[in-house]
Amino acid sequence: MSVMALAVPPRGVGPIPLGHGRWATIRPIESSDRVGLLDFYASLSQESRYTRFMSMGRGIGPGAAHDFADAHDRGAAGFVAILREPGARDGEIIGHLCLEPLADGAAEVAVAVADDVRRHGIGHLLMAEAMRASRELGFRRLVATMFTGNEGMRRLLLSAGGRLLRQQCRAGINFMELSTDPQDVPGGSLA
């Protein structure tokens, strides 16, 4: 891809500057992202995969990639962050967020960002998209489960704009529940 082609970012949220002529965009997940998701999760460090899935593993399998990529068909939602650069990694998935519906009108949220592009706001922008999508899909609450020591995820959830409804810590696991209702937030709006 030529550098000139990178001058106009594709549709979605962005550009998110990453330095060294690189930037990222965020867009809804598509069926064509299956292979990219497999590669993304395989490329995460073992520690990042352990933190994201709360178990040891090499990433996700084809079935999970299919489910994530076809989220819309199941009433779920997903977003990916895409790397834009004048190099070999252009178009690579560098972040993923999924919203999985639960039986009680809530959705479970989970997010992962590539190790080498953290601290550039990608997770925050993925969460902002998750809040918007939650309201559009009628999810009144977002829930997340993480290790108690995962302060990055805890801060990310708290910065998403929803009011913290409940937080429980048991046996090293932290459960958080956020409201997605703009009326439930002081000031009446979500970021």
Side-chain angles (χ1 to χ4, degrees), residues 98-159:
C98 60
L99 288 172
E100 295 293 329
L102 301 173
D104 62 355
E108 182 176 19
V109 62
V111 63
V113 175
D115 297 291
D116 66 329
V117 294
R118 290 189 179 161
R119 305 220 181 271
H120 289 282
I122 293 170
H124 181 75
L125 291 170
L126 284 166
M127 279 302 301
E129 289 300 299
M131 289 300 264
R132 276 193 279 286
S134 294
R135 292 190 300 274
E136 289 173 11
L137 293 168
F139 300 136
R140 298 180 312 274
R141 297 177 328 282
L142 291 180
V143 298
T145 305
M146 70 211 77
F147 289 121
T148 300
N150 190 347
E151 275 303 303
M153 182 61 175
R154 186 177 171 283
R155 283 192 308 270
L156 181 61
L157 288 166
L158 292 174
S159 74

Side-chain angles (χ1 to χ4, degrees), residues 3 15 19 22 32 39 41-43 47-48 81 90 102 146-147 156:
V3 174
R22 303 179 318 157
S32 61
D39 294 342
Y41 281 108
S43 74
E47 180 181 349
S48 292
D90 185 59
L102 301 173
M146 70 211 77
F147 289 121
L156 181 61

Side-chain angles (χ1 to χ4, degrees), residues 14-182:
I16 305 160
L18 302 173
H20 307 290
R22 303 179 318 157
W23 44 280
T25 58
I26 294 173
R27 63 165 170 77
I29 200 161
E30 300 171 352
S31 293
S32 61
D33 290 323
R34 290 179 189 142
V35 171
L37 285 172
L38 288 168
D39 294 342
F40 166 68
Y41 281 108
S43 74
L44 291 178
S45 68
Q46 185 174 357
E47 180 181 349
S48 292
R49 284 192 306 270
Y50 181 66
T51 301
R52 162 60 178 88
F53 295 106
M54 298 176 68
S55 67
M56 299 304 285
R58 293 185 180 156
I60 62 172
H66 180 273
D67 287 347
F68 285 146
D70 292 332
H72 185 69
D73 295 344
R74 301 179 292 103
F79 298 91
V80 289
I82 305 295
L83 178 65
R84 308 315 282 167
E85 70 162 14
R89 291 181 61 194
D90 185 59
E92 188 176 297
I93 294 175
I94 56 172
H96 174 235
L97 179 139
C98 60
L99 288 172
E100 295 293 329
L102 301 173
D104 62 355
E108 182 176 19
V109 62
V111 63
V113 175
D115 297 291
D116 66 329
V117 294
R118 290 189 179 161
R119 305 220 181 271
H120 289 282
I122 293 170
H124 181 75
L125 291 170
L126 284 166
M127 279 302 301
E129 289 300 299
M131 289 300 264
R132 276 193 279 286
S134 294
R135 292 190 300 274
E136 289 173 11
L137 293 168
F139 300 136
R140 298 180 312 274
R141 297 177 328 282
L142 291 180
V143 298
T145 305
M146 70 211 77
F147 289 121
T148 300
N150 190 347
E151 275 303 303
M153 182 61 175
R154 186 177 171 283
R155 283 192 308 270
L156 181 61
L157 288 166
L158 292 174
S159 74
R163 183 171 67 89
L164 180 63
L165 299 173
R166 185 169 54 140
Q167 180 172 232
Q168 293 178 322
C169 298
R170 266 192 215 141
I173 304 297
N174 191 6
F175 170 85
M176 293 178 68
E177 183 176 7
L178 298 172
S179 172
T180 62
D181 184 352

